[in-house]
Every structure is written in structure tokens, then in C-alpha cells.
Amino acid sequence: MNLHFTEEQMMLQKMVREFAKSEIEPFVEEMEKGIFPRELLNKMAALGLMGIPVPEKYGGAGMDFTAYTIAIHEISKASATLSVILSVHTSVGTYPILAFGSEKQKENYVKKLATGQYLGAFCLTEPSSGSDAASMKTRAVNKGDHYLLNGSKMFITNGGEADTYIVFARTGEGKGSEGISAFIVESDTPGFVIGKDEHKMGLNGSRTVSLMFEDAKVPADNLLGQEGEGFKIAMANLDGGRIGIAAQALGIAEAALEKSILYAKERQQFGKPISAQQGIAFKLADMATKVEAAKLLVYQAAWLKQNNLPCGKQAAMAKLLASKAAMEVSTDAIQVFGGYGYTKDYSVERYFRDAKVCEIYEGTSEIQKIVISKHLLK
Ligand code: CAA
């Protein structure tokens, strides 16, 4: 694994850092009020950020998965709300079509997604099917030139804002993961209904909704891959998705660390900066070590993915460790800031609220341990 970024990757990193400073940071307060950052997404589209790892042929920037990971990492330092929108759009909203779609589907959808004309979403979770994804109940019945979908989905990131939804539903009689198929569902499909918005602990500017399918009529051409291939499509794309969430957690943790170092050097108590107190200095050392460990795992997983090497185990490890680091480092950051850290005047309380979901979505930490141990024991 090459730990040095290429010139192209460093240029992207610089560009995203500048964008974060000039455009994202000034909009964080609006997002905290629950405003969806549509304008920021349009600006990101103009910069080519909505399809970083997508080949130029399909409207993307034609860069590699490490470049995409760098962008998620950097955006997360400014706003985890914005990075989850981009991560879901790219790695589970666009990639499944790129990896499993027909040429016609790539022409029709990937081009619009990668250029930011469309926003993507991914619909696996249901009210009674979360960690046990294979227990889903949503059903799709083949009617020849179309399928009729019935059922509901839950906790859908980008729901209500997206133009295309990768939807998983049962088409066969097989139990568990067998008989699940994947579909590309457009937002204006008759019988496709947007349900209630969740009021979340964090990621306030991102939308998370439930969805209902009431005899939703999906063209047969929008079946993704073959009938019965859906579970594998979901799992294969979650491998990449989990690298995005791990990079998000890394960004949150690093932002919390950087803010804590600055504050500890400034804040005076007992006649000297609190950074000169070993209790705080050692805390910073522990925080930095966790961030560094997360960085290595995240970029290792990204490197494996971009080189088309198996990355499921390392993606799960990266997500497990980086999300734990984000939770611990943001908790410590609040401690470094003391009373001020508990107020909304400083961003560390936002990092803490945003970090928690990294241990939950795209597979809980417990699910990552199942994935890792299955790899170890097979
Ligand atoms: N790639 C390709 N195929 C895979 C795979 C992978 N990474 N992982 C499993 N499969 C295949 C298996 O090989 C197996 O195929 P065969 O039957 O042909 O052997 C099939 O899928 C079933 O595999 P398992 O027996 O391992 O399946 P399981 O039912 O035991 O479930 C699980 C495994 C890992 C627990 C899975 O259910 C899981 O990942 N659960 C978590 C769900 C999740 O991550 N949800 C996230 C929702 S999206 C989201 O959160 C987005 C957002 O908003 C941010």
C-alpha cells in the first residue's frame, strides 16, 4: 500500500479544503437548523465532486477511490451532514448501477448521478429489518414489462431529495438472502410515497425518511442485475459504502482533535495553558493516536477497493475502528473544552452528536464484528 497521495489526489484535497472553508463552514449553522444543503450540492456538482470515482465516460471525474475517500474525509471535518449525503449518493446510490447495471442503465442514470443532475439513495432497511437485512418483506411481483412493488423502507438517507433510489425487494420464494432483487426506482414512480422525516440527534441538515411502495409500478428495465442477485449487490456495495462512513468518522475525529489542540493551547487555568497540564496533554496524545490508527485503516481499505482487491474485511475494520475513534475523540474534546464544550457555541458538541450514528448506519459496530469474524473463520 502506498501511503503517499498522488499529485492529483493532493490537488483534490486542497480544492476540497478550500471549498470547506469558503462554502461549507459558513453554511453549517443553516444545516444545523435542518436546512437541506441543495445549493452546496449544486456547487459540489460544478466542481465534479458528485462523481469522483466514476469514469469520465459516465460523467464522473474519473478519479480513484482514494480520491473519493479524501473528499469524504475533508468534507466531514467541516460537515458530517454534507459528507453523508455525498457518501450515500456515491457509494451506495451510484456505484451499484456502475457495478451491476446494464449499459443502458449506466447511460440513463450514472451520467445524471455523477454530474449531480440527480441525487441517489439506497433503500435496504425496513421497519422490522435492520441488522438482519435478509429478513426484508418488501415484495416485487413480475408483471412482464413492469414489477409491482409493495412494502416500506425506513431510515433512508437522502429520501425525499433523491431522484433515484436503489430498492431491494423479494421477487422469489427463497428464504433469507435468496430471492431478493435490486431495482432502480425513480422518485416520480406512481405508488412511490415519501413518508415521515426522522428528527435525529445529529446530521441535522441531511434528510432521513421512511418510504412506502403502494403498487409502485417499476419498469422491468429497471431491474438491476439479475433476479435473485439483490442481496449480493447490497452487500458488495456496502463494502465500499462502509469505507465512506469510516472516512466520515475519521473526519469528525480529526476535526475534534484539531479544535481541542487549539483550545488547549489558548485556555489558561492555574496560570498556564491547559495544554501544559499533563491530564490534558495526555488526553490529546491518546486522541491523536486514535485518529492516526483510523486514518491508516481507512486509507488501506480505500487502496484495496481502488485496486479491485477484496476489501470487505478491511472496510468493516476501518468502519469499526474509525467510528469508535470518532465517538471517543469527540467525547474527549468536550472534556477538553469543559463547560464551553457542552454548549452550542462550540462545534465539539456537534461532532459528538454526529459521531454516534457512524457506529450505527451502514451496519452497526456489532455487524462489522460479524463481518470481520466471518472473514477470519471461513
Ligand atoms: N459481497 C458479496 N456477497 C456477499 C457479501 C459481500 N460483501 N457478504 C455476503 N455475501 C453473500 C454471501 O456470500 C452469501 O451468498 P451465498 O448464499 O451464495 O453463499 C449471501 O450474501 C448471504 O450472506 P450471509 O449468509 O453472510 O448473510 P446474512 O443473512 O448472515 O447477513 C450480514 C450478513 C453481514 C449480517 C448482513 O445482513 C448485513 O450486512 N447486515 C447489516 C445491514 C446494513 O449494513 N444495513 C445498512 C443499511 S444502508 C445505510 O445505512 C445507508 C445510510 O443511510 C447511511
Side-chain angles (χ1 to χ4, degrees), residues 84 88 92 122 124-125 130-134 155 157 177 231-232 235-236 238-239 242 245 361-363 367 370-371 374:
V84 75
V88 166
V92 287
F122 181 81
L124 183 67
T125 305
S131 290
D132 184 6
F155 300 134
T157 303
S177 62
F231 195 75
K232 284 182 189 168
M235 291 299 121
L238 278 169
D239 287 345
R242 286 167 183 162
I245 300 305
Y361 58 21
E362 300 215 10
I367 290 296
I370 291 178
V371 172
K374 272 190 180 177

Side-chain angles (χ1 to χ4, degrees), residues 118-119 160-165 185-190 192-194:
Y118 274 13
L119 187 68
E161 301 290 339
D163 303 279
T164 51
Y165 296 76
V185 176
E186 296 203 35
S187 56
D188 58 0
T189 301
F192 173 61
V193 181
I194 305 293

Side-chain angles (χ1 to χ4, degrees), residues 323-354:
S323 57
K324 187 164 185 273
M327 214 46 234
E328 292 175 355
V329 173
S330 59
T331 305
D332 281 346
I334 295 176
Q335 197 67 18
V336 170
F337 275 71
Y340 292 110
Y342 198 64
T343 71
K344 299 247 177 217
D345 296 340
Y346 292 86
S347 49
V348 286
E349 67 84 34
R350 171 166 60 89
Y351 302 147
F352 175 82
R353 288 184 290 105
D354 288 349

Side-chain angles (χ1 to χ4, degrees), residues 133-168:
S135 67
M136 71 177 65
K137 294 198 182 88
T138 297
R139 185 158 281 282
V141 179
N142 191 338
K143 296 282 182 186
D145 66 344
H146 67 274
Y147 286 83
L148 280 185
L149 267 65
N150 281 285
S152 56
K153 296 284 173 183
M154 202 168 178
F155 300 134
I156 304 306
T157 303
N158 293 347
E161 301 290 339
D163 303 279
T164 51
Y165 296 76
I166 307 294
V167 177
F168 298 90

